[in-house]
Every structure is written in structure tokens, then in C-alpha cells.
Amino acid sequence: MTSTVPASLTRSADGAALQAVFLDMDGTLVDTEGFWWDAEVEVFADLGHQLDEAWRDVVVGGPMTRSAGYLIEATGADITLAELTVLLNDKFEDRIGRGVPLMPGAERLLAELAAHNVPTALVSASHRRIIDRVLASLGPQYFALSVAGDEVPRTKPHPDPYLLAARGLGADPMRCAVVEDTATGVAAAEAAGCRVVAVPSVAPIAAAAGRIVVQSLEEVDLLFLRTLIRSPH
């Protein structure tokens, strides 16, 4: 976990107010979910295996250990999880090195949160090496803290990454808003007790109690997030 803001400076004085905003990375702020699938397809092609397009919905949004393990089992590829993880990270890092497209509304939302001094964290299942490359495109100044998938014992769909982010910012998870694009990320945020805005990227996400589903980040602004916290669970 990387943090640039002392926790003592981030807690809201109003216990009923929005205390922090946590944002997923791939598919939420940057249009890279397709990059991961392309990397997986290319790596397995090099290993002599063709991936079934139907597997894409299975692996999207999850930790690399889960998605890579699933693809090894599904294809029967002769490679270890550790070896495959290195190949996938290398391939993905090569792709983002050519540019990282932001999702519609991402830059505007980040700028608004920063302008109002809302503590904001990037919480991703991607590894630290990948997050740091993407942060260079997103703008590291927008984030008080970032949590990577390889920095927690259990990553999404477990609540650990969001609980760690809340502790790092001195915030009550129930007063934190999370923006996620996959069912895996939504499950992690909800298990942590956060209020969730789902912006589906690859696979649909159903509306549920305490969760709002929108079509784009362009529908999300600071007022929207504050209202989400004030509304009853």
C-alpha cells in the first residue's frame, strides 16, 4: 500500500458525511479490461492454446491468481501459476506502455474530488508494478493512497483491500463510496461495508440493496456520491 496523506488529516468531522472515495482501476478509470484479455489470449497462443471467448466473463475483474489458475486448468497448459503471472504482467505492461485510454468521465471525476479535497484511493487487484505504470497516466496527484492486489493476503472478492484503504485514510468503511466495474470488485466493497456504485464494463451487474448501477462514470459526481452515503442502507 502506498499512501501520501497522514491518516490524521483525512477523517471527516461529520460522522454522517462522505469520508473517502475508493476507485477501482481496470475497466473503471482506465479502459484496460480488454488489454488483460488480449494479453491472456496472446500468452496462451504462444503456449499453443486458444482461449474460449466465453471464459472472458469468468476471469474479468478477479485477482490474477484466480484468473490465471482458471485458464491453466481450462486449457491444460503446461505452465506454473508463477510462470504465467510473470508472462501476463509482462504482456500487459507492454500494452499499457503504448498508452492508457481513460474511461469517459474519469478525468472529470478525479479532478472534482481533488478540487474538493475528498480523500481518494485507487484500489486494484492488479499488481503494484502495473498500478504504478497506470498511475503515471491517471495522475498520481489525484490519489492519497493506492492498494495493489499483491499487497494484501486476500484480494478481491475479499474485503481486505477496501478495509486496508479505509484504515489508511482513517475512514469508516460505511462512510466510504466505492466505484467498481465487476461483480468481483462489487462483492469486495460490499463485504467491507462500503456503499457501491457499479459501472459495468464487460459483464452486467444487477442492482441490489445498497448498490446503484449506472451506465457510465459520466453519471457520477461528488454530489451523487455524497447522496449515496446519506441514503439509508
Side-chain angles (χ1 to χ4, degrees), residues 82-102:
E83 292 169 338
L84 180 57
T85 296
V86 171
L87 292 178
L88 290 174
N89 274 322
D90 286 347
K91 187 73 73 172
F92 184 79
E93 193 167 3
D94 176 64
R95 295 185 76 85
I96 62 176
R98 306 171 211 165
V100 181
L102 271 61

Side-chain angles (χ1 to χ4, degrees), residues 34-119:
F35 286 18
W36 278 114
W37 178 248
D38 291 345
E40 289 159 349
V41 168
E42 291 179 23
V43 167
F44 276 90
D46 291 343
L47 296 172
H49 298 275
Q50 181 176 349
L51 299 188
D52 189 320
E53 185 71 22
W55 298 340
R56 183 172 182 172
D57 288 352
V58 178
V59 300
V60 67
M64 184 171 291
T65 51
R66 189 196 73 183
S67 57
Y70 174 86
L71 293 175
I72 290 174
E73 183 175 352
T75 60
D78 184 19
I79 189 170
T80 68
L81 184 59
E83 292 169 338
L84 180 57
T85 296
V86 171
L87 292 178
L88 290 174
N89 274 322
D90 286 347
K91 187 73 73 172
F92 184 79
E93 193 167 3
D94 176 64
R95 295 185 76 85
I96 62 176
R98 306 171 211 165
V100 181
L102 271 61
M103 298 296 285
E107 187 173 11
R108 187 264 315 151
L109 178 60
L110 289 173
E112 183 183 16
L113 294 173
H116 289 83
N117 298 312
V118 177

Side-chain angles (χ1 to χ4, degrees), residues 42-231:
E42 291 179 23
V43 167
F44 276 90
D46 291 343
L47 296 172
H49 298 275
Q50 181 176 349
L51 299 188
D52 189 320
E53 185 71 22
W55 298 340
R56 183 172 182 172
D57 288 352
V58 178
V59 300
V60 67
M64 184 171 291
T65 51
R66 189 196 73 183
S67 57
Y70 174 86
L71 293 175
I72 290 174
E73 183 175 352
T75 60
D78 184 19
I79 189 170
T80 68
L81 184 59
E83 292 169 338
L84 180 57
T85 296
V86 171
L87 292 178
L88 290 174
N89 274 322
D90 286 347
K91 187 73 73 172
F92 184 79
E93 193 167 3
D94 176 64
R95 295 185 76 85
I96 62 176
R98 306 171 211 165
V100 181
L102 271 61
M103 298 296 285
E107 187 173 11
R108 187 264 315 151
L109 178 60
L110 289 173
E112 183 183 16
L113 294 173
H116 289 83
N117 298 312
V118 177
T120 303
L122 186 67
V123 182
S124 175
S126 291
H127 289 189
R128 170 55 58 187
R129 60 180 282 199
I130 300 299
I131 286 182
D132 287 345
R133 287 292 300 272
V134 175
L135 273 172
S137 296
L138 278 172
Q141 72 275 13
Y142 290 126
F143 301 96
L145 178 149
S146 60
V147 177
D150 56 342
E151 295 173 342
V152 288
R154 302 183 307 170
T155 189
K156 303 173 186 179
H158 299 286
D160 306 38
Y162 284 111
L163 293 174
L164 180 60
R167 286 197 300 271
L169 293 180
D172 176 356
M174 295 184 68
R175 298 300 174 191
C176 297
V178 172
V179 185
E180 274 278 2
D181 74 304
T182 67
T184 299
V186 167
E190 290 179 344
C194 303
R195 301 302 298 270
V196 181
V197 180
V199 190
S201 60
V202 176
I205 298 173
R211 176 197 311 166
I212 293 179
V213 181
V214 299
Q215 297 304 307
S216 167
L217 280 183
E218 293 180 320
E219 300 178 47
V220 181
D221 58 16
L222 180 54
L223 177 60
F224 179 97
L225 296 173
R226 283 174 170 164
T227 302
L228 185 68
I229 297 300
R230 289 197 299 266
S231 64

